[in-house]
Amino acid sequence: MKESIQDSIQSTINELYQKYLPCLEGYTANYIPELAHADPHEFAIAIAMVDGSVFHIGSELKNFTLQSVSKPFVYGLALEAFGRPYMLSKVGVEPTGDAFNSIIELEKQSHRPYNPMINSGAIAVSSMIKGKNTAERLDPILKLFENYVGHSVNIDDNVFQSEKKTAHRNRAIANLLKHFQIIDGDIEESLDLYFKQCSLLVNTLDLSFLAATLANGGIQPKTKKKVLNPESARDMLSLMFSCGMYDSAGEWAYSVGLPAKSGVSGGLIAVVPGKMGIAVYSPLIDERGHSVRGVKVLKELAHRYDLSVFSNSH
Ligand code: GLU
């Protein structure tokens, strides 16, 4: 039976928090050395409803870096600036079934990255945000996230430097993209921009508002500010649904049924269109780069409240 969400959500997340707090499965991302230092005991769940109310438990104010959760949002920024035909000429919208950092993820004929949720697509999207230098190019990205979360945001310079120093794989991808003329300009500058968007500091409450703004058709539920057009929010959700969970997108669609995006620092968002944004933070990730506790919590919430977008009960 479907429970009424507002009445029971706080006690449900309290229960799920206690249930999964002892779960120490997974590992902290170590290919970015700075992320390996995260405290495995950190755990937070936050849910923002489209009416602006929030429910949370755990270390919901603890900051961490956004990583790949940034990808759909920067895609939305570029989509609004350049429109669908241009975006489609540079980056596809097909799931790959490959890992987030695969280097064989360019389409055979067009050489476009398959989609903007994998690294090749996201690097191509970041490279579209132009300006005289990295600082000028970063500015609209910072403003964008400030609008989503409702306050100013900063970059974690240690994480940025750490990723920049060790990003041999992403550098290879960017060189391939330049070779096929998917990106132009200075490769290092575009990579810097991408690493900086990944190094943006947020907390779990912020994540819930990123998700809830999409659930609310582009209007930030608390500030009531219009952050983006409903059509762009819809397109981002489609991409999150088909590609947001990388090589487990199909299993996720089957078991959770919600558009979602994970990041290797342990953030995970899921969107219940028209209703709420759900966020979980726990830095222990699985081999696919998804927060282990995050996946467990989302599966249980989706099952308990029948949240799948394909359910006929809402
Ligand atoms: N900055 C990370 C990378 O490009 C993001 C990966 C992720 O969060 O999935 O490797």
Side-chain angles (χ1 to χ4, degrees), residues 35-51:
L35 295 183
H37 305 145
D39 178 356
H41 299 283
E42 294 290 354
F43 182 26
I45 306 171
I47 298 182
M49 313 300 290
V50 293
D51 67 5

Side-chain angles (χ1 to χ4, degrees), residues 233-298:
R234 179 204 59 205
D235 289 354
M236 290 157 65
L237 291 174
S238 301
L239 284 164
M240 287 164 67
F241 192 80
S242 56
C243 315
M245 297 300 275
Y246 310 130
D247 40 344
S248 61
E251 202 252 314
W252 181 265
Y254 191 71
S255 59
V256 178
L258 294 173
K261 189 73 206 81
S262 66
V264 288
S265 55
L268 175 63
I269 59 170
V271 176
V272 188
K275 292 203 169 65
M276 65 182 124
I278 305 172
V280 181
Y281 169 61
S282 168
L284 293 168
I285 58 171
D286 60 22
E287 67 288 349
R288 281 156 162 166
H290 311 317
S291 165
V292 174
R293 287 186 181 117
V295 169
K296 289 182 190 294
V297 167
L298 256 302

Side-chain angles (χ1 to χ4, degrees), residues 31-32 67-68 71 100 119 163 170 194 198 246 262-264:
Y31 74 101
I32 300 176
Q67 299 302 330
S68 284
K71 290 171 177 173
F100 67 94
N119 289 2
E163 179 161 9
N170 281 335
Y194 169 70
C198 289
Y246 310 130
S262 66
V264 288

Side-chain angles (χ1 to χ4, degrees), residues 5-288:
I5 297 181
Q6 296 263 13
D7 294 345
S8 59
I9 196 75
Q10 187 63 55
S11 61
T12 300
I13 61 175
N14 293 353
E15 181 195 324
L16 294 178
Y17 178 83
Q18 295 306 336
K19 179 172 175 183
Y20 292 117
L21 190 59
C23 170
L24 291 171
E25 288 164 33
Y27 59 94
T28 54
N30 51 16
Y31 74 101
I32 300 176
E34 196 62 25
L35 295 183
H37 305 145
D39 178 356
H41 299 283
E42 294 290 354
F43 182 26
I45 306 171
I47 298 182
M49 313 300 290
V50 293
D51 67 5
S53 53
V54 275
F55 303 90
H56 52 81
I57 178 139
S59 46
E60 77 279 353
L61 297 179
K62 163 84 188 163
N63 275 340
F64 52 90
T65 55
L66 200 50
Q67 299 302 330
S68 284
V69 178
S70 64
K71 290 171 177 173
F73 299 95
V74 178
Y75 181 84
L77 179 70
L79 178 65
E80 296 221 318
F82 302 110
R84 264 185 172 207
Y86 181 77
M87 295 308 284
L88 285 170
S89 74
K90 295 288 185 189
V91 184
V93 290
E94 291 301 332
T96 59
D98 282 331
F100 67 94
N101 58 1
S102 169
I103 52 171
I104 45 151
E105 53 198 5
L106 305 183
E107 286 178 355
K108 287 205 173 57
Q109 298 284 314
S110 67
H111 302 119
R112 296 179 308 178
Y114 276 95
N115 69 68
M117 301 296 125
I118 49 178
N119 289 2
S120 58
I123 293 167
V125 170
S126 303
S127 80
M128 293 175 193
I129 314 293
K130 304 288 189 213
K132 279 207 285 291
N133 48 41
T134 311
E136 205 176 278
R137 296 173 69 178
L138 184 64
D139 202 50
I141 296 179
L142 290 176
K143 289 215 171 71
L144 176 81
F145 284 102
E146 287 174 7
N147 284 334
Y148 273 107
V149 303
H151 59 80
S152 61
V153 291
N154 295 304
I155 305 289
D156 183 327
D157 197 53
N158 290 334
V159 173
F160 165 69
Q161 296 294 349
S162 181
E163 179 161 9
K164 184 176 163 72
K165 243 185 251 151
T166 54
H168 312 299
R169 205 175 170 114
N170 281 335
R171 200 159 276 119
I173 290 172
N175 275 283
L176 215 53
L177 291 172
K178 174 106 181 191
H179 170 77
F180 288 119
Q181 293 164 7
I182 297 294
I183 67 174
D184 53 18
D186 186 70
I187 293 178
E188 279 307 312
E189 208 181 279
S190 287
L191 281 172
D192 277 358
L193 195 62
Y194 169 70
F195 301 146
K196 285 200 169 175
Q197 86 182 44
C198 289
S199 304
L200 262 162
L201 281 167
V202 287
N203 60 43
T204 313
L205 274 185
D206 295 335
L207 282 195
S208 71
F209 277 105
L210 285 169
T213 303
L214 297 183
N216 202 26
I219 310 285
Q220 214 276 12
K222 213 167 180 171
T223 63
K224 310 288 180 216
K225 193 165 176 169
K226 183 176 175 187
V227 181
L228 77 166
N229 293 313
E231 297 77 19
S232 310
R234 179 204 59 205
D235 289 354
M236 290 157 65
L237 291 174
S238 301
L239 284 164
M240 287 164 67
F241 192 80
S242 56
C243 315
M245 297 300 275
Y246 310 130
D247 40 344
S248 61
E251 202 252 314
W252 181 265
Y254 191 71
S255 59
V256 178
L258 294 173
K261 189 73 206 81
S262 66
V264 288
S265 55
L268 175 63
I269 59 170
V271 176
V272 188
K275 292 203 169 65
M276 65 182 124
I278 305 172
V280 181
Y281 169 61
S282 168
L284 293 168
I285 58 171
D286 60 22
E287 67 288 349
R288 281 156 162 166

